[in-house]
Amino acid sequence: MCIRDRAISQTGPYSPPAVFELQGYQLAIEETNKAGGLLGRQIELVKYDDQGNPSTAVQLYQKLITDDNVDLLLSPYQTDLTSAVAPIVNRAQRVMPCLAANIEAFSGKYPYLIQAMTQTSRYMVPVIDLAALRGYKTLALLVQNTQFPQKLAEGVEQEAAAKGIEIVFKEDYANTTTDFSALVLKAAQSHPDVIVGATYLADSEGIMHAAKAQNINAKMFAFSIGPVEPDFGKALGDAAQAVFGTTLYFPSLHTKGNPDFVKAFTDKFGRPPTYHAALAYASFKVLAGAVAKVGSLDQSKIRDALLQTSEDTVAGHYQVDKTGIQTGYGSYALQWQDGKQQLVWPEASATAGPIIPHPAWE
């Protein structure tokens, strides 16, 4: 059996989280093969490097479908790439569990795509909850101009409004931006209690570098993709202290099979899993379960089985609605404390209490 791990971003701007996803798939496939494979066959992993480029991803998925004739597909990392390949995947009527958080592709337009991670709008809920509980009233929002950050910003605005927090500054920036000095200074002029970035890794690091360099203080700094990556702390050093991030998983969670997963992943790859690894691992396990239930590679039947699945995984509870939108998975707030990530909210899952407000720069 030939399964496409995906045209994954092994190089390029999205490679740090994408490589974690690749490793999550690799571990899940290795375990499945040791248990006898799928439909009595061993799984062969085929992967290419899309370099984080949508047009390259389209070419590679076309190759996977028409030249490699793979049996199963898994999605690329990142919403823009998933959106790019969605038409050809759907046209070929190939079911594809997707690690993309925006919901548009799963709202009936592409019925062969199934969302396998938390919806974008739910990412920042724990951060906004924590800010509201501390009585913070104003928020500045910095937004990268790509699909996932744009939708995430909409979710932040909706959640902030519901919790009585006013957006006093909002500005988009190009995904090629490397100098954030002017943007951060402009945001600070509105004197926000909270600065939130709808970001990936490089821009979240750039924003914090600029904040420290210009002595910009806020009671909270929080980002979407960025602090969840181990490279965030390595790149920023002391500037990472007390910065909040969101995560869809944490190694300490008491989810089904999680201790064994954390050990196996760490033993194999020499580092603990992030949520990208855990969701990829869970996504493949759920897909494999659907194939086994159907007993064939009939794509429509596999899709229907995925739509009907309600299952506990290492990443939490997997469940989707009738169009394939994920309704089961949630999110958590983490924070960098003394060079390590700590899960800080919700309180019931926390490994440490939050450091708040953010300490003034030394």
Side-chain angles (χ1 to χ4, degrees), residues 14-30:
Y14 308 119
S15 59
V19 170
F20 268 108
E21 287 189 4
L22 172 59
Q23 292 173 341
Y25 284 131
Q26 288 172 325
L27 179 59
I29 290 169
E30 178 182 288

Side-chain angles (χ1 to χ4, degrees), residues 26-37 260-261 264 281 285:
Q26 288 172 325
L27 179 59
I29 290 169
E30 178 182 288
E31 291 180 357
T32 302
N33 280 338
K34 286 182 179 178
D260 290 340
F261 165 66
Y281 177 90
K285 292 283 188 169

Side-chain angles (χ1 to χ4, degrees), residues 43 51 59 124 172 214 238 341:
I43 302 162
Q51 302 175 349
Q59 295 171 16
M124 300 297 285
D172 296 356
Q214 298 177 108
D238 291 345
Q341 295 171 333

Side-chain angles (χ1 to χ4, degrees), residues 198-248:
T199 57
Y200 287 101
L201 176 61
D203 43 340
S204 65
E205 293 171 355
I207 290 167
M208 288 310 300
H209 276 304
K212 181 178 181 179
Q214 298 177 108
N215 198 33
I216 302 301
N217 287 294
K219 294 173 182 175
M220 288 179 69
F221 289 92
F223 302 92
S224 49
I225 311 300
V228 71
E229 299 300 329
D231 287 350
F232 183 85
K234 295 176 184 177
L236 288 174
D238 291 345
Q241 176 70 0
V243 176
F244 289 92
T246 53
T247 186
L248 312 183

Side-chain angles (χ1 to χ4, degrees), residues 131-132 135-139 163-168 193-194 219:
Y136 299 156
K137 296 297 184 182
T138 57
L139 184 150
K163 296 294 171 62
I165 299 175
E166 181 185 1
I167 307 294
V168 293
D193 293 325
V194 184
K219 294 173 182 175

